[in-house]
Amino acid sequence: MTDFNSLADAYGTPLYVYDFDAMREQYEKLKEAFRGRKSLLAYAVKANSNLSVVGHFARLGAGADCVSIGEVRRAMMAGVPKYKVIFSGVGKRDDEIREAIERDILYINVESEAEMGRVELIAAELERTARISIRVNPNIDPKTHPYISTGLHDNKFGVDIDTAKRMYIRANASEALDPVGIHFHIGSQLTELDPIREASEIVADLVRSLHAAVGIELKFFDVGGGLGVRYDDETTIEPYDYAQAILSTLTGMDITVVCEPGRFLTANAGYFLTRVLYEKRNGSKRFVVVDGAMNDLLRPSLYKAYHYISAAKPHAGTPTPADVVGPVCESGDFLAKDYPLPPMEHGDLLIVHSAGAYGFGMGSNYNTRGRSAEVAVEKGEARLIRMRETFEDLIAAEQACLD
Ligand code: LLP
């Protein structure tokens, strides 16, 4: 899509580069898949929370799914209107709940009876009615990585169906609560349709029975995120089939579908650029040491996630397996294991693909490493959307505390 060599020269490495046109195409494809039904794509801010990325989706009409008041603030600062902002998460502090109610967002997604109690209390104190949705845990195995599976009773997320029923009845009777939605999210990087359809069916049945038995009319059917992407050779779900699987469970219901995609919108639009520092061998093992590390892109270390890597210029020589490792003092600091690469030289540029979701956002300052710069490319034009962190940025909060 673009000349990575000149971007690396202009902005330095390590560097994140995002293709804003590819992000827009993904957004439009998914939005189109829900045509004919009221729908809201609430972008999962956690996937890539850069203000310019969130703003890009906001301008396309997206809402925002947020998991902290920080993300709520980010989304609204980036231009997402309050009536498209959702606040989810298993542990919200009182001050976060208060601010979400005061900001009058679309709804707060509650994840336990205890939490609903706090929301009710805080709304009553503020003399407001809090719009809520309840996250149901449908006990479905999404068949994805255990760390990103969330729809089983073993996971900390949501409440079971019986608890949800009880909560809706209680919320419906409360002056301070307005139950407007229902939510589920069974996991991330989903590549199979059946678990999604099954979960949707279970939750849709609950909506019907709440209507029939207690007269509760929910307005939003929030199916969470999770749509998988291709990192390697995965077979992924087509947006149209995804939408159809959900819509087929909602026949005869007048309800807005809310969807919270993160990875689908950003993963394959993002590239992580890193330069080779050295090659080395320990015995027969080959290492390519690069200037990017686990503090920049954690997914390989944390999940053994695979990311396709390519060289920015053609290289002579036969590719042989190498571990691509960073400068961080951890054996777990790698971007790839046994990856076939031709001989590399100091300064060569490598491109780590599919890095637009859960890349920069999961970064840290471990080993006093400043986080990378971020660049957007749109209609052939590149622009900086986050400055590279300096040493001064890293120590400012500590220096302020020195005598
Ligand atoms: N909605 C809820 C309630 C979620 O928990 C998540 C992701 C999403 C939406 C967005 O899911 P997506 O469409 O991006 O799959 N760090 C991991 C992924 C963690 C996902 C957490 N929740 C990774 O790098 O694979």
Side-chain angles (χ1 to χ4, degrees), residues 275-281 286-291 323-325 327 344-348:
R275 279 200 200 278
V276 174
L277 298 173
Y278 323 103
E279 280 238 21
K280 69 180 278 186
R281 279 185 184 277
R286 178 181 172 216
F287 293 96
V288 172
V289 185
V290 297
D291 64 0
D323 284 8
V324 181
V325 300
M344 291 277 135
E345 281 175 14
H346 184 85
D348 283 349

Side-chain angles (χ1 to χ4, degrees), residues 358-375:
Y358 308 107
F360 183 93
M362 288 173 77
S364 75
N365 295 123
Y366 188 40
N367 284 197
T368 307
R369 288 170 54 85
R371 283 177 296 171
S372 322
E374 296 180 287
V375 166

Side-chain angles (χ1 to χ4, degrees), residues 138 140 184 186 194-204 221 249:
I140 295 281
F184 65 97
I186 58 173
D194 283 347
I196 300 171
R197 190 184 294 110
E198 239 179 286
S200 189
E201 189 80 64
I202 292 171
V203 180
F221 190 80
T249 69

Side-chain angles (χ1 to χ4, degrees), residues 18 43-50 53 65 71 261-267 355-362:
Y18 307 123
Y43 169 58
V45 172
K46 63 176 89 72
N48 186 327
S49 55
N50 185 291
V53 171
D65 165 50
E71 286 193 352
R263 192 187 316 265
F264 178 81
L265 298 183
T266 59
Y358 308 107
F360 183 93
M362 288 173 77

Side-chain angles (χ1 to χ4, degrees), residues 212-359:
V214 237
I216 298 177
E217 290 267 15
L218 295 178
K219 297 189 186 75
F220 302 101
F221 190 80
D222 184 341
V223 302
L227 201 49
V229 302
R230 187 166 296 157
Y231 286 97
D232 188 4
D233 55 1
E234 301 91 338
T235 314
T236 53
I237 302 168
E238 283 303 314
Y240 177 80
D241 298 333
Y242 173 73
Q244 284 307 311
I246 293 160
L247 297 178
S248 69
T249 69
L250 300 178
T251 39
M253 289 162 75
D254 179 22
I255 198 162
T256 300
V257 175
V258 180
C259 180
E260 303 169 351
R263 192 187 316 265
F264 178 81
L265 298 183
T266 59
N268 283 330
Y271 303 83
F272 178 61
L273 274 47
T274 181
R275 279 200 200 278
V276 174
L277 298 173
Y278 323 103
E279 280 238 21
K280 69 180 278 186
R281 279 185 184 277
N282 282 343
S284 62
K285 182 87 190 166
R286 178 181 172 216
F287 293 96
V288 172
V289 185
V290 297
D291 64 0
M294 66 189 290
N295 77 295
D296 300 298
L297 179 61
L298 184 62
R299 303 192 73 255
S301 303
L302 190 60
Y303 313 118
K304 295 201 172 66
Y306 172 90
H307 286 260
Y308 172 71
I309 298 180
S310 61
K313 65 165 203 240
H315 283 260
T318 318
T320 60
D323 284 8
V324 181
V325 300
V328 162
C329 280
E330 300 274 347
S331 297
D333 175 28
F334 60 87
L335 298 177
K337 288 268 191 196
D338 289 323
Y339 203 93
L341 286 176
M344 291 277 135
E345 281 175 14
H346 184 85
D348 283 349
L349 186 65
L350 289 178
I351 302 152
V352 183
H353 295 242
S354 311
Y358 308 107

Side-chain angles (χ1 to χ4, degrees), residues 83-114:
Y83 56 86
K84 291 185 183 174
V85 174
I86 299 163
F87 183 19
S88 308
V90 78
K92 305 178 192 74
R93 293 188 313 266
D94 284 2
D95 62 288
E96 294 186 293
I97 295 171
R98 187 169 302 114
E99 187 172 329
I101 296 171
E102 283 170 344
R103 282 180 178 265
D104 197 25
I105 62 170
L106 181 60
Y107 53 79
I108 298 175
N109 219 336
V110 301
E111 299 222 16
S112 62
E113 269 185 296

